[in-house]
Amino acid sequence: MTDYIDISAKTERLHQIIENFLALPGSDLVGNQRDILEMVDILVAITGVDLTPNSALDCHTATASGKAVSLVTAGRCALEFMRSQVFMRGCYQAICDQQNGRNPVEVLYGGTGPFGLLIIPLLPFFSADDIQVTLLDIHQPSLDYVKKLIDVLGVQDRIRTIECVDILKWPVPHAHYDVIVSETMTARLHAEPQVAIFTHLISGLKPAGALVPQEVTIDAALQSYSHKGDDALPIGRLFTLNRENVQALSRGDNTCLKCQFEAPAQTTPAHVSLFITTDICVYDGHVLGENQCSLNLPLRYDIQDVSPQSRFEVEYVMSDMPELVVKHMAVPKVPLSPVWEDQSPAGLPALVTWWRFMESEKRGGDGKAALRASVTAGQRQELMGLLNLNFPDDLARIYTCRTIEDLETLILTRNGGTISPALLASLGEFAKAAESGGAAKPV
C-alpha cells in the first residue's frame, strides 16, 4: 500500500512538473533546472534504471550509419534541463498541431532510450483517441524500462506497438505517421545516425506531417585571436538537416552533403580560428542555440595561412562514423617580389611573376609601376602563346581568376589536362631569358 501511495505521488508530481514547463514562457526555462532534475529522479525511481556511467548497461552499439549510444548515455541526456524541456515542448506542440478531432495522431518515435522521454511522459495529457505511438529502439533493456514507465503511467492504450530493432533495417509504412521523432545526435551531427535515421524514416511521414527536430543547422565563422563574437566573420551554412534535404537524400540526391565557401573579403591573418556552431529548431519556435546543451557546444579549431583568397570545402560524410569534414584550401604562398624562375604551386616557371603582375594591375596602388616594369606586353603575349592561352580571348578569363591555382586550372584545361615536359622546358627557357633581360617577342 505504501509503495502504491509513493508511486502515485511520484506520478502526480511528474505530471505537475511537465504541466508547469509546458506552460512557461520560453524565456523562463533557463530557471527551471531544479524541476527537471527532480523529473529525472522520478523517472529513475519509477523505472529502476541505473544510470551510473561505466556500468554493465553502459555499452554502445555500432551500426552501419553511426553509434547507437547506450541506455545509460541516453538516460543521462535527460539531465540536460534545457534540452529536455525544449524537445518535450516541441513534441507536445507538434502533436497538438496534428490533431484533427477525427483520428488519433500517429507518432513514430525512433530511439527511445530508457524513458521514452520526448513522448511517454506526455501521454497522460492525451487520450487513446488523441494519440497512438510506435516505439523503436535497438536496445531491448531500454524498451523494458520504457514498458515499466508506460505501465505505471497507465497509458498502455496509447501505444500502437513497441519493437526492438535497428531502425535503419525497419520496414517503414508509407505515409503513415503524422509525427516522426528521433533525437539520435550530437553537436555537428557527429558520430550518431540522426541523418541516416531521418533519411530512412522520411517515407513514413504524411505530406502534412511533422519531423522532430524540424531543422538542424551547422554554421561556420572565422574568429580572430581575441575569440570575441563581435569580430567573427561568417563563412556560411555548412549543412542543414530538414525535411527537404532528407527527402532528397532518400531519393539518392546527395547534393546537400557538399558545399564550398570563399573566405570573406575582410579576412586578415589575425583570423586564426574556425568556429562551428549547431543550432536546432525542435519545432516551430522551440529552439536550442549555442551552449544551451551538449548538442549546441561549438567547435573551434586553429587554421593557418588564411586569407581573403582562402576556400573551404565541406562534406558531411555518412558512414559508420558520420562526421562533418571541413577542409581549408589555403592559397599557396606566392613571393611578393618574385623572380622569373620562381615556380608556381604546380611547378610552372614564370607564372608567379606574371600572377603578381596581374594582381597589381587589378589592385592598382603604389607598387603597380614597379611591377609593371617587370612584365612587358610582349612577354605577356609570348607567355600566353607558350601556355596555349588564346590572346586576347583568354585574357578576360585570366583576370577573373581569384588565385594562382585558378589560373593553373585554366592552363591545364587549355593543355588537355596535363603539362608536358616540352612545355615545362619552354617555360624554363622563357624564364631564364626574361630574368637575364633577354628580348621578348614583339607585340
Side-chain angles (χ1 to χ4, degrees):
M1 182 67 176
T2 302
D3 288 345
Y4 172 79
I5 294 173
D6 184 53
I7 290 295
S8 177
K10 288 184 183 300
T11 57
E12 183 177 349
R13 177 58 183 150
L14 178 65
H15 191 87
Q16 289 173 348
I17 291 172
I18 296 172
E19 187 174 43
N20 176 57
F21 73 68
L22 288 179
L24 281 176
S27 58
D28 290 351
L29 298 180
V30 70
N32 207 32
Q33 182 175 11
R34 182 177 297 179
D35 275 4
I36 301 309
L37 296 182
E38 183 183 356
M39 177 184 76
V40 177
D41 286 343
I42 293 171
L43 293 172
V44 168
I46 291 174
T47 60
V49 64
D50 179 7
L51 296 182
T52 304
N54 302 315
S55 65
L57 294 174
D58 195 9
C59 297
H60 305 307
T61 299
T63 77
S65 297
K67 177 177 66 178
V69 299
S70 72
L71 73 82
V72 172
T73 298
R76 292 183 68 83
C77 289
L79 295 168
E80 298 188 34
F81 69 101
M82 285 298 293
R83 177 177 179 174
S84 293
Q85 291 178 101
V86 175
F87 263 94
M88 291 177 72
R89 281 160 58 98
C91 287
Y92 180 79
Q93 184 178 338
I95 294 166
C96 291
D97 286 352
Q98 290 294 318
Q99 289 182 305
N100 58 26
R102 298 185 301 276
N103 303 309
V105 176
E106 293 287 345
V107 177
L108 172 62
Y109 185 4
T112 64
F115 303 137
L117 182 72
L118 307 187
I119 296 295
I120 302 303
L122 298 175
L123 292 183
F125 294 87
F126 303 97
S127 71
D129 292 332
D130 294 328
I131 189 169
Q132 288 294 307
V133 182
T134 296
L135 302 169
L136 309 176
D137 200 277
I138 199 169
H139 298 124
Q140 184 60 51
S142 282
L143 295 174
D144 292 340
Y145 289 117
V146 168
K147 289 176 184 177
K148 287 184 181 179
L149 182 59
I150 290 169
D151 289 344
V152 169
L153 295 180
V155 293
Q156 300 93 328
D157 60 346
R158 274 142 271 194
I159 304 301
R160 179 75 69 193
T161 187
I162 302 176
E163 294 189 43
C164 181
V165 65
D166 181 343
I167 297 171
L168 299 171
K169 298 178 181 178
W170 187 67
V172 183
H174 181 70
H176 181 75
Y177 297 100
D178 300 289
V179 180
I180 293 180
V181 179
S182 185
E183 196 264 82
T184 44
M185 60 181 287
T186 59
R188 306 180 311 284
L189 298 169
H190 180 75
E192 295 187 33
Q194 180 80 47
V195 178
I197 285 175
F198 269 4
T199 301
H200 180 66
L201 296 181
I202 192 64
S203 64
L205 190 62
K206 293 178 182 179
L211 198 62
V212 179
Q214 199 169 50
E215 186 168 82
V216 180
T217 54
I218 305 175
D219 297 286
L222 292 174
Q223 284 192 333
S224 68
Y225 300 106
S226 67
H227 290 164
K228 293 180 180 178
D230 56 2
D231 69 358
L233 297 177
I235 294 174
R237 181 144 293 169
L238 308 185
F239 181 61
T240 301
L241 179 67
N242 57 17
R243 182 173 187 156
E244 179 183 359
N245 283 342
V246 167
Q247 287 175 328
L249 289 170
S250 71
R251 297 191 301 268
D253 178 359
N254 296 333
T255 305
C256 66
L257 299 180
K258 295 182 179 181
C259 59
Q260 290 187 353
F261 296 97
E262 295 176 350
Q266 304 93 324
T267 301
T268 70
H271 290 96
V272 295
S273 294
L274 189 65
F275 190 70
I276 300 178
T277 56
T278 308
D279 293 296
I280 303 168
C281 175
V282 175
Y283 180 80
D284 193 25
H286 298 281
V287 297
L288 287 164
E290 187 178 326
N291 288 319
Q292 286 194 302
C293 71
S294 66
L295 303 180
N296 308 112
L297 293 178
L299 173 71
R300 181 187 287 111
Y301 63 89
D302 294 337
I303 52 177
Q304 296 180 338
D305 302 326
V306 67
S307 74
Q309 288 77 40
S310 292
R311 294 199 306 271
F312 296 88
E313 294 185 355
V314 183
E315 180 177 6
Y316 184 79
V317 179
M318 296 180 68
S319 66
D320 59 353
M321 187 59 65
E323 61 177 334
L324 185 75
V325 178
V326 182
K327 295 180 180 178
H328 171 221
M329 313 303 289
V331 178
K333 292 184 177 179
V334 179
L336 290 174
S337 300
V339 296
W340 278 104
E341 292 183 87
D342 283 337
Q343 295 186 354
S344 72
L348 304 182
L351 203 60
V352 175
T353 295
W354 187 30
W355 172 253
R356 282 299 186 201
F357 167 70
M358 288 188 294
E359 279 195 319
S360 73
E361 281 199 320
K362 289 187 284 186
R363 199 171 50 236
D366 296 336
K368 182 175 180 181
L371 275 172
R372 187 180 292 279
S374 68
V375 182
T376 67
Q379 287 172 326
R380 178 176 62 187
Q381 188 171 340
E382 181 180 354
L383 189 54
M384 288 186 67
L386 289 174
L387 293 168
N388 291 319
L389 298 170
N390 300 318
F391 181 86
D393 296 345
D394 276 332
L395 203 55
R397 295 184 180 89
I398 291 168
Y399 276 87
T400 61
C401 292
R402 295 187 74 250
T403 67
I404 195 170
E405 291 176 309
D406 292 339
L407 178 57
E408 289 175 329
T409 299
L410 176 61
I411 292 168
L412 284 168
T413 301
R414 295 291 183 266
N415 287 274
T418 185
I419 303 297
S420 68
L423 176 54
L424 282 174
S426 296
L427 290 173
E429 291 299 319
F430 173 88
K432 287 179 182 178
E435 196 66 41
S436 64
K441 294 181 181 179
V443 179

